[in-house]
Amino acid sequence: MSYLEARKSGLFYLRVLMKHLRGDTFRRHVRLESGKLQSRAVISVDASSDCARLKIPNHGLPPVWRVAFIGVSLPGLTARNRPPLGDDFHQVTAIDADWLELSNLSGIGWPKYTSGAVVQFGQPLDLSGVTASARFFRPGGPVLAVPAVIAQQDGGFLVTVSADDTRQWPLGPLLFQLVLRWTDGVVRTVLGSSFEVVEV
């Protein structure tokens, strides 16, 4: 999974390094953020279940996103930097329009939350009319002829390459890029991820 901050004047990425088994279907959901951070007040924190939940009325986020928690000290959750940096963000799942569930963070031992915190996040990029294509290549090498299926999904693009096509990939590191095209002719190329192709 990759999150990218995207502006038409420039694009930035957060990269997740991983391995990919040659002959397995390749899927990457690249979630695109606008550059400006938005803030929403946290009304309550529920730490009674396996994963802590934050009540943020009308948060407006896609089903899976990332947020930084600011303003009240809760161990393992509160951002260390202002503005928040990459490591300050936590992945969340939208339970409904008002609740976000933190991934793999239980809240055990947290003090009772009353008020004063906000979450900050990059607003999902407006992808109206934006099209995307994918490129795969070895570092310093030519672009490989790789057919990819690309679809807009939940604040970004889902890129899929079939198992038959990944069998043709060379072993070793590969880079994956998205080429984004806006309706006004602006084109930006961004690095979605780098990964290593391996065999069993």
Side-chain angles (χ1 to χ4, degrees):
M1 174 188 313
S2 299
Y3 293 88
L4 291 90
E5 178 188 333
R7 302 187 190 94
K8 292 170 72 173
S9 59
L11 290 154
F12 307 88
Y13 65 90
L14 291 172
R15 186 172 57 185
V16 180
L17 298 176
M18 59 194 73
K19 295 182 184 295
H20 183 84
L21 186 63
R22 184 160 64 176
D24 278 359
T25 300
F26 174 94
R27 290 187 182 88
R28 293 292 184 275
H29 189 186
V30 181
R31 296 179 172 89
L32 297 161
E33 299 179 355
S34 62
K36 186 177 180 181
L37 287 175
Q38 304 290 315
S39 296
R40 298 286 189 277
V42 178
I43 303 303
S44 65
V45 175
D46 178 2
S48 63
S49 57
D50 290 340
C51 294
R53 296 182 175 185
L54 310 177
K55 185 174 185 181
I56 303 161
N58 300 312
H59 54 72
L61 291 178
V64 178
W65 208 247
R66 61 174 194 155
V67 302
F69 185 88
I70 292 172
V72 173
S73 180
L74 294 178
L77 177 61
T78 304
R80 297 186 296 270
N81 302 284
R82 302 279 188 90
L85 301 179
D87 289 343
D88 293 318
F89 286 87
H90 298 271
Q91 182 171 299
V92 293
T93 299
I95 302 302
D96 56 28
D98 298 328
W99 285 92
L100 300 175
E101 183 174 84
L102 292 153
S103 300
N104 304 315
L105 195 57
S106 70
I108 294 174
W110 284 354
K112 181 177 175 57
Y113 175 80
T114 54
S115 64
V118 299
V119 293
Q120 291 189 329
F121 53 86
Q123 192 75 11
L125 187 68
D126 181 3
L127 297 175
S128 301
V130 177
T131 59
S133 58
R135 300 196 300 191
F136 297 85
F137 56 95
R138 301 189 70 173
V143 175
L144 303 176
V146 177
V149 177
I150 304 175
Q152 283 196 29
Q153 179 177 307
D154 298 338
F157 289 96
L158 177 65
V159 180
T160 305
V161 179
S162 73
D164 286 342
D165 289 314
T166 71
R167 287 192 186 97
Q168 311 306 315
W169 283 353
L171 295 177
L174 277 186
L175 301 179
F176 156 51
Q177 289 182 336
L178 273 182
V179 181
L180 306 179
R181 295 177 174 84
W182 276 262
T183 54
D184 60 5
V186 172
V187 178
R188 290 289 181 268
T189 301
V190 298
L191 181 60
S193 66
S194 62
F195 56 95
E196 183 181 4
V197 180
V198 299
E199 284 187 326
V200 176

